[in-house]
Every structure is written in structure tokens, then in C-alpha cells.
Amino acid sequence: MIKLRSLSSRLIAYWIAGLFFVLVLAPVPAIVTVSTILAGYRHIPPLSGWTTKRSREIVLRSLHIDASGRKSIEPTDELRQYRMRNPEFRFTVIDAETNSIVSGSSTELGSYFGRMTVFDDIYFGFHLSDDTNKRSYGYLVSEETPNGRLHVATYGSYFQWEDVVFQMIHIDRNRDFFYFVALSIAMAVVAAVVIRRGLAPLHALATRIAAIDLNTIDQHFSAAGQPTETLPFIEAVNKAFERVNEGVARERRFAANSAHELRTPLTILRSRVETLDESVVKHELDRDVRRMQTIVEQLLVLAQMKERNYSESQPIDLNRLVLAIVTDYAPIAIDNRKNIEFDTPPHSIMAREHEWAVECILTNLIENAIRAEPVGGTVVVRLEKDATIDVVDHGGGVAPADRDMVFEPFWRREEMSPGSGLGLSIVKELVQLSGGRIYIADTPGGGATFRVIFAAE
């Protein structure tokens, strides 16, 4: 059995089932029909039209025509079984061409209708006056058949559930039944439209809930305009988001406080490293401390971005800002026997961003590019007129399968790879908070190109 998971589908299905029962299975009030069946009456006058139609079809399928064209009724197994189940069943078939009773018909009914001469377009119900069963009904029908026009009278048919199946199969041959089905479909369509319109506020609420992420989790959903049945659900969702928001706020405060507390000891540590004599160990310590400071500063920037309203951002000159960052990293690149190049349009490129967020993003990307660039190579930082910045290296590149993973926290290609695995994760969060996009492409000739797209002013 198919389970309906959609509330709309379930309501529509129940509506259709109800209409089908009322309009098709219960032409008379359902309580009368059901009570009659339960009372043990096999013959139900309101359904006799269905019963006699099926019995008439069974009789016509027993019609036989010999080589001379003479018609006769030769009972089939179907007709014999039907008569066994309906002991009072009688029928008469009259050939309209000769106005004669077809051989094999009931002589009793034939005596009633054999003297009739006008049958065209006749259809009526009757009850035999000498029949003591007052609930017995019959129908005389004049219809066109593949064997010519025939007048068929049937009498004494009892209702059977097979009559309902027959009626459903032959809906195209029963105008009233067709009207019932057509009306059911029309009303079901109306019900579908009404139900979907009625549930529109719920769908709108679901769309709003689906759009929530960690940056918009402080929203509260109003119950105004929502169905009464959904109010407990809305209240539960609001309380759940409140609990999650409180937890996220605690985690953010903890991260910001931790980063802030680490700034002072790292500054002291770096000043002490600088007092050491020049050596390979000093150079490595200075590099590691600088990397830790960078991560701490990035965490602080990220915490500030999440706590502040991003609408406070101001237009910034990307040419000036990127040039300053590239200039700062030129000595580091030279110390590592590498080069760095800045490619920019001649005019200013403006973007509405937080300057310290852009600094954090580019600092991380450029530092990674210098680390990946081969000795003697050149890192290229390219600023496009649509506020797009490319940071290009010519190192080993990033495999397509890893391009989503590199932005995950603590992910590193190899266990022995340098770094904490936090830098690119922080970069991606900052880019998303600024409303921008970041992705990785191949550098022609080998390497990786990190492309950041900001919103141009």
C-alpha cells in the first residue's frame, strides 16, 4: 500500500474517495443502501438499473444467429450461472425487424410484450401484477446492437456486487455514471486548488525555515496567518532555534575570547624569537609563530564579522588594498627565492566590503600560494574589473576531488603537510559572510588558481 506523506495529497485523496462513494456507489442516501443490505434484502430497487443492465448484457451475449439469419438464445455458461444465482430471473428478446419473440426467451414475459407493436426509443421499468414479490422489478429496453435492433425485457434480477464492477467497466456506456465521474473529477480539481491555496502559508513558512543557516538562526517565526493546527509546530520550531542560537552564541564567544587571549602570549613569543641569534632554528620558529598569529587574527576577524551587522561595510578601493598586501608579502616571497606579481586595471575597482575581512582573505591565499609556488616561480595576484581577485600559483595544484574538501576545517592533503588546516576554512566563511564566492580552478601549465568574487560597488 502506498503511504501518502503529503498532507495535501492525503486530503485530496480522502476528498476523492468520499465523492466516489457519495456520487457513484451511493446514488441514494448511503444510510438507506447500507441498512437495506444489512437487513438482508438482496434486491435493491435504487440499484436495479445497474443489475438489469448487466443481466441484459449477459442475455445478449447468448444470442446466436444461424446460417439462415434466424436468431435464437442459446444459454452460455455465464447465463446459466446467472440464472442459478437468480432463480426468479426471466428475460424476453424481441426482434425489431420481424416484431417476433426470439427463440429461447421466457414465454411468460413474451406473453406480456408479444402483442406490443411500438417499441422505438422505449425504456421503462415495470412490475408484473401477478408477482407476489413486491420488490421485484424489470426493465424493457429498445437498443441498437451489432445484431440489429432488439427489444430486451429482463425481470427478477437480484443485486450482486459484480454489478458495481460491471458498471465501472462500462462507464462510457452509461451517461449518468459518466456524469457522476466527471463531476467527481471536477470537484476533486477544485478541492486540490482550494487545499493547496489553504496550505500556502505553511509552504511559505517551510521555505523560510529551509533558508536558515548559522548566520540567520536568530529568526523568529510568526504564527500570524498560519493554520491553527500548525501553531504547536511553529512554537516548537521557534523554541528549538532559540536553544540552538544560544548554543552557537556561546561557541562564538568562546572562540573570540580564546583568540583574543592568545594574541598577547603570541606577541611576546614572537618578540623573544626575534632576539635570538640568526640561525635556521630561528627562521623556522619565526615562521611558525607568524603562522599562529595569522590564524588567531583570522579567528578574531571571523568572530567580529559574525557579531557585527554586515551592512556596516564601506566602499573600499581594491586596487589600493591588494597592492598594499602584495607589497607586504614581496619580501617574504624573495626570502623564499620566489617572486610575486600584481596585475590590475588602470582604474580603481570599488567594492562594498569590510577592509579587514578582505585583508584576512587575501593574506591567507597569498601565503598559501607562496608556499605552493616552486623555487624561482612567480605568484600572480590578478584584480579584474568586476571585483574578482585571482591568486595564481604554479605548484602541484588541487585535484578536482579535493576542491571542496580543502575548505573543510583541519583538512590537509597529507598528514605531514604544513599548516593547521584552518586557514582556507576561515577564508571561505569570510567570503560567504561578505556575500561573495570562492572556488578553485586549474592554472594553465599546472598549479591552482583561487578565485574570489566580491560584490562590485
Side-chain angles (χ1 to χ4, degrees):
M1 179 182 294
I2 299 176
K3 295 183 178 180
L4 298 175
R5 300 184 181 274
S6 166
L7 178 60
S8 298
S9 300
R10 186 181 293 111
L11 292 175
I12 293 171
Y14 289 162
W15 178 274
I16 294 174
L19 286 177
F20 183 81
F21 177 79
V22 172
L23 298 178
V24 178
L25 296 182
V28 294
I31 188 171
V32 176
T33 302
V34 173
S35 62
T36 305
I37 295 175
L38 294 177
Y41 295 111
R42 295 182 59 208
H43 190 89
I44 306 173
L47 298 180
S48 59
W50 292 11
T51 301
T52 55
K53 179 174 178 58
R54 174 168 169 254
S55 64
R56 188 166 62 252
E57 291 289 333
I58 293 175
V59 170
L60 290 176
R61 283 196 288 268
S62 298
L63 183 66
H64 175 73
I65 303 177
D66 60 19
S68 64
R70 182 174 177 273
K71 299 181 178 67
S72 62
I73 300 296
E74 296 184 1
T76 60
D77 290 340
E78 182 183 26
L79 179 57
R80 282 191 288 268
Q81 292 176 5
Y82 190 82
R83 297 185 73 171
M84 289 178 61
R85 298 181 64 183
N86 294 269
E88 300 179 15
F89 176 64
R90 287 159 282 179
F91 63 88
T92 289
V93 180
I94 302 174
D95 190 343
E97 294 183 5
T98 61
N99 200 29
S100 59
I101 298 175
V102 174
S103 174
S105 298
S106 167
T107 55
E108 183 180 2
L109 283 182
S111 64
Y112 281 96
F113 301 107
R115 296 185 296 273
M116 293 184 63
T117 58
V118 179
F119 287 96
D120 290 344
D121 299 325
I122 197 168
Y123 185 102
F124 65 84
F126 62 90
H127 173 75
L128 300 180
S129 58
D130 57 353
D131 189 350
T132 58
N133 186 351
K134 302 302 182 182
R135 290 187 297 273
S136 292
Y137 283 83
Y139 277 86
L140 175 64
V141 179
S142 178
E143 59 180 303
E144 200 68 43
T145 72
N147 299 313
R149 192 167 190 82
L150 299 173
H151 315 308
V152 184
T154 56
Y155 189 82
S157 299
Y158 292 143
F159 169 76
Q160 300 170 0
W161 287 111
E162 290 88 337
D163 298 336
V164 178
V165 177
F166 177 86
Q167 187 78 358
M168 295 174 64
I169 295 175
H170 295 80
I171 60 174
D172 59 320
R173 301 176 63 184
N174 187 308
R175 184 179 60 184
D176 294 337
F177 192 87
F178 174 80
Y179 286 162
F180 283 143
V181 173
L183 181 60
S184 299
I185 294 174
M187 295 184 69
V189 171
V190 173
V193 174
V194 171
I195 290 172
R196 291 195 180 277
R197 287 290 299 273
L199 294 177
L202 191 59
H203 290 304
L205 179 63
T207 302
R208 288 182 57 196
I209 294 176
I212 291 177
D213 55 23
L214 287 178
N215 301 315
T216 57
I217 203 168
D218 57 344
Q219 294 189 35
H220 184 274
F221 299 99
S222 173
Q226 297 297 335
T228 305
E229 293 80 2
T230 65
L231 297 185
F233 169 76
I234 296 173
E235 183 179 356
V237 169
N238 284 331
K239 289 183 178 180
F241 280 140
E242 288 175 4
R243 293 192 295 271
V244 174
N245 190 36
E246 290 174 0
V248 171
R250 285 195 299 270
E251 294 296 328
R252 287 175 177 173
R253 287 193 297 270
F254 174 79
N257 293 335
S258 299
H260 183 74
E261 292 296 325
L262 286 172
R263 293 179 74 181
T264 301
L266 282 174
T267 302
I268 296 173
L269 178 61
R270 186 169 184 180
S271 64
R272 289 178 177 175
V273 169
E274 290 175 351
T275 63
L276 297 175
D277 295 334
E278 290 296 331
S279 65
V280 175
V281 174
K282 175 185 177 180
H283 179 74
E284 291 179 351
L285 286 174
D286 184 65
R287 180 192 61 195
D288 292 340
V289 172
R290 187 175 65 249
R291 186 176 300 147
M292 286 190 290
Q293 280 187 309
T294 300
I295 292 173
V296 170
E297 292 297 332
Q298 289 172 343
L299 288 172
L300 280 173
V301 168
L302 186 59
Q304 291 172 353
M305 287 277 289
K306 290 180 177 179
E307 291 297 326
R308 296 180 183 180
N309 188 343
Y310 198 78
S311 62
E312 298 174 357
S313 59
Q314 300 294 327
I316 60 173
D317 186 345
L318 289 179
N319 304 65
R320 177 192 59 79
L321 180 59
V322 178
L323 176 60
I325 298 172
V326 171
T327 302
D328 289 341
Y329 270 89
I332 298 174
I334 294 172
D335 287 345
N336 287 274
R337 294 179 294 168
K338 302 170 185 179
N339 303 305
I340 187 168
E341 176 184 310
F342 181 38
D343 184 8
T344 180
H347 54 82
S348 296
I349 305 297
M350 305 299 294
R352 179 171 288 276
E353 303 290 341
H354 285 287
E355 184 169 326
W356 31 269
V358 177
E359 287 180 355
C360 183
I361 293 169
L362 293 181
T363 296
N364 197 302
L365 294 179
I366 292 174
E367 185 172 329
N368 286 346
I370 292 175
R371 191 181 302 123
E373 186 70 28
V375 174
T378 301
V379 172
V380 179
V381 180
R382 184 183 303 114
L383 175 60
E384 304 287 352
K385 60 182 180 180
D386 58 351
T388 296
I389 301 176
D390 289 342
V391 179
V392 184
D393 69 64
H394 304 85
V398 180
D402 296 336
R403 290 179 183 175
D404 289 331
M405 297 299 299
V406 297
F407 295 108
E408 294 296 322
F410 308 111
W411 185 89
R412 290 184 292 179
R413 184 182 306 169
E414 299 174 0
E415 197 62 35
M416 299 303 294
S417 299
S420 63
L422 283 174
L424 288 178
S425 172
I426 295 174
V427 165
K428 184 176 182 180
E429 281 205 59
L430 288 173
V431 171
Q432 291 178 337
L433 285 171
S434 68
R437 292 184 293 125
I438 183 172
Y439 63 91
I440 306 173
D442 290 325
T443 299
T449 297
F450 284 77
R451 170 163 292 185
V452 182
I453 303 174
F454 294 109
E457 175 67 13

